Every structure is written in C-alpha cells, then in structure tokens.
Amino acid sequence: MSLLELIAAADERGLAASAVACLDRCLPQPADGADPDPLRPLWAGCADGSVWPDRLAEVREVLDAAADTEGATPQIRKLLGEAPVDRVAPELREWADACSLLALEVHLGQEATPPAGAEAMRCCREGDPEGAGPLLAGELRRQVRILERLAETTEASGAGAGLRQVLDVSTEGQRVLRAAVSRRARGRL
C-alpha cells in the first residue's frame, strides 16, 4: 500500500502515533540543558486516548516555552497547535497527513542534491519513490513501516509493543536526520 493509502486506512491510535513519530524525527538536536525528548508525553497519549488532551497540552507548553527557532521547531510548534484535542477522524487524519508532509519536506531539504520537491514528495506518497534521494526514500520507508506496524498491533495485547517498536524506528530516523544536518552544517563551515 502507498503512504496515502496507509494514512487513509489507519485507526485513531495509528494516526496519532504516526504523526507524533513524524514530528519527533524532525526535532533538531536539543540545546545543552534542554529536554532531549519534549514529545515523550504524547507517546502516552497515543497508547491511551483518554490522556491525549492533557499530554498534548503539556507538550505544547514545553515547546512554547522553548525559544528554539531553528530548523523545523517552529513548524512542529505550529502543527502541535493545530493538533486535534479529541483524537477523532477526520481532523486527526488531516493532522497526521500534515505531520507526514512536514517530515518528508524536512528530509527532502537535507538531501545533497534534492529532486524536484513537490513532485518527488507526491510520487513518494503515492507509492513511487523512484528518483527520491536517500533521505527522502528512507523517511518514506519509515513512515510506511510505522503505519504497517501499528495496523498489525491494533489489539490491546500488542498495542504497547507496537508503540515501542514505532518509537525505536522513529529514534533511528531521528539519528539519521540529525547526522545529515550535522554533515551539511560542517560542509558550510
């Protein structure tokens, strides 16, 4: 299935977790003394929809207090401000789609030789990653893997394990993106 089809088919837990994972991967390296995982509380809201509103408010407060204007942080802050307080479709689906787009845009922006931006992302999201650079293609694979894994673990018994695996995939993606940003910054010096 294409990324767009997976987003269209995802349940509320899958939409919330995939969106949070996308935003988590886009966070820049934290400044010294800053919270290394400011979105961590939202993961609990992905597991238990009843705590989502409180966790969302907590994360919004933390990111609003951070003066970080670097990288994707302002866009993440904006998307968190637009996140639905109630985890219900279609608002949640639209928000998850916007988070997916941001993650792809951030990865596309770090490519050494970016392909045609909007066209490359459209093709990737529709299931044709041909011509996408390694960062964009890798992010597409992560998003697909996450949504597939969440769809496989919809029962309560596997829900926690599924979220843990999603967090692991997201953390790996975050490391890849931060390494690319670091390499690019060193190249500009």
Side-chain angles (χ1 to χ4, degrees), residues 11-185:
D11 64 8
E12 291 168 3
R13 178 179 145 271
L15 292 169
S18 67
V20 171
C22 284
L23 297 180
D24 207 21
R25 285 190 299 283
C26 293
L27 284 170
Q29 183 71 33
D32 289 339
D35 184 351
D37 292 315
L39 301 184
R40 177 71 68 175
L42 263 186
W43 287 101
C46 293
D48 178 1
S50 68
V51 300
W52 176 262
D54 294 334
R55 302 298 188 189
L56 181 59
E58 182 181 340
V59 166
R60 285 174 175 165
E61 187 176 309
V62 167
L63 279 181
D64 285 346
D68 192 357
T69 58
E70 303 267 331
T73 303
Q75 294 154 298
I76 293 170
R77 194 178 289 124
K78 179 182 181 291
L79 281 171
L80 285 169
E82 296 169 355
V85 175
D86 297 320
R87 272 185 22 181
V88 293
E91 294 85 6
L92 187 60
R93 193 168 316 284
E94 291 169 10
W95 181 67
D97 188 62
C99 294
S100 168
L101 275 171
L102 174 63
L104 292 169
E105 287 170 1
V106 168
H107 284 77
L108 178 66
Q110 293 302 318
E111 291 283 3
T113 54
E119 181 64 18
M121 288 198 327
R122 184 190 61 74
C123 289
C124 282
R125 289 168 53 87
E126 291 176 354
D128 180 17
E130 188 175 324
L135 289 174
L136 181 59
E139 175 59 16
L140 173 68
R141 283 190 303 273
R142 272 185 289 283
Q143 289 189 30
V144 167
R145 188 174 352 149
I146 284 169
L147 284 162
E148 288 174 343
R149 183 65 190 139
L150 289 166
E152 293 168 0
T153 59
T154 56
E155 295 81 33
S157 62
L163 286 175
R164 180 68 217 160
Q165 291 171 353
V166 166
L167 182 57
D168 290 344
V169 169
S170 190
T171 300
E172 173 238 338
Q174 187 180 65
R175 286 186 196 119
V176 168
L177 183 60
R178 286 179 178 175
V181 169
S182 178
R183 275 192 305 277
R184 190 167 222 205

